[in-house]
Amino acid sequence: MSRRLEGKTALVTGSTSNIGRAIATAFAAEGAHVIVSGRDGERGSAVVGRIRAAGGRADFVAADLDGSAAVSDRLAEEATRVLGGRIDILVNNAGIFPGSTTTDTDEKTFDRVYAVNVKAPYFLTAAIAPAMVRAGGGAVINLGSWVARLGIPVGTLYSSSKGAVETLTRAWAAEFGPRGVRVNAIAPGVIVPPAGEGEAHPGEIMMKGTPAGRIGTPDAIAHAAVWLASDEAAFVHGTVVDVDGGRVGAAVIAA
């Protein structure tokens, strides 16, 4: 590793498994002191243990991001304290995915998805970005999704919530960018689920006809996150980086 994040501090929400875990691990390998955050203390401690065993710096801060400003504020406050007074990088990764159709979605599910996927990152960013401004700068990375821009017949609620996150990315770039805080997003494609949490991934069929021709891994998203968090992306603002095997950008016609 090139230690591109040496001396930086980072908070990665939803980082006890899959994409969030890969991002937290990659950040630590690049020199950052990382806060691993999520609901499950046992899984969080395991991630922290693996990072430390590899020579990285990490701590776990529990948080059940329910969309309330109070919970987001508490996470921001505790993470800032553990990290020694500042957060240089915020990754808004935590999210939930109900794969239901529009007519199968009840109001309770609707409200919960928007609370976790939109309200929680909204209020967490509101709590942390101004402190980044006061500290001289920082980076916020949001997790969007390929289904925010390519319609599929299921997951309409999730798709719309990720569309909101990508819109917030551009708006926050305009709001905070002139004051030193870069805001960008990553739109993952179909990503392999955590080991042991499923058999053959049903998303394989969704990647047929794409340049990659296969589902991706969490590490692919982590590599993009490291780049966006680093000084190499200093001139990148308000961008959604597609890491999706070409799903939304190109179609391959099979011979």
Side-chain angles (χ1 to χ4, degrees):
M1 293 291 180
S2 57
R3 310 291 288 184
R4 286 176 285 177
L5 303 180
E6 190 72 53
K8 300 292 186 181
T9 60
L11 166 60
V12 184
T13 68
S15 49
T16 60
S17 66
N18 212 22
I19 290 174
R21 177 175 58 203
I23 292 173
T25 301
F27 278 9
E30 290 285 353
H33 182 182
V34 181
I35 293 296
V36 174
S37 184
R39 293 175 294 177
D40 191 318
E42 185 175 343
R43 291 199 306 183
S45 295
V47 175
V48 167
R50 284 195 292 270
I51 289 173
R52 290 178 177 175
R57 298 181 65 196
D59 292 280
F60 176 69
V61 175
D64 184 0
L65 292 170
D66 61 1
S68 66
V71 169
S72 290
D73 287 347
R74 281 198 298 272
L75 174 57
E77 181 179 351
E78 180 63 8
T80 299
R81 183 191 68 78
V82 174
L83 290 172
R86 78 178 199 278
I87 297 173
D88 298 313
I89 305 158
L90 167 63
V91 180
N92 287 311
N93 168 72
I96 54 176
F97 175 72
S100 56
T101 63
T102 300
T103 53
D104 290 334
T105 301
D106 58 31
E107 187 174 6
K108 181 179 180 181
T109 300
F110 186 101
D111 289 343
R112 175 154 172 72
V113 168
Y114 265 76
V116 176
N117 292 5
V118 183
K119 285 183 67 180
Y122 187 97
F123 287 114
L124 191 57
T125 300
I128 292 175
M132 289 179 172
V133 170
R134 293 191 295 272
V140 176
I141 302 169
N142 299 319
L143 269 291
S145 175
W146 67 281
V147 296
R149 275 164 292 135
L150 183 66
I152 60 174
V154 294
T156 52
L157 179 58
Y158 177 80
S159 300
S160 68
S161 73
K162 288 302 182 178
V165 167
E166 293 188 7
T167 297
L168 284 171
T169 297
R170 291 183 284 271
W172 284 336
E175 181 176 358
F176 297 113
R179 294 185 282 166
V181 178
R182 294 186 300 105
V183 185
N184 294 286
I186 300 169
V190 182
I191 300 298
V192 176
E197 294 185 14
E199 300 302 325
H201 196 289
E204 286 281 6
I205 191 68
M206 295 182 180
M207 293 304 291
K208 290 186 180 296
T210 67
R214 59 175 177 81
I215 56 178
T217 66
D219 285 345
I221 311 305
H223 294 321
V226 167
W227 174 67
L228 284 174
S230 74
D231 291 340
E232 293 172 3
F235 201 52
V236 182
H237 292 261
T239 294
V240 179
V241 179
D242 294 316
V243 186
D244 63 359
R247 175 70 279 177
V248 302
V252 176
I253 300 175

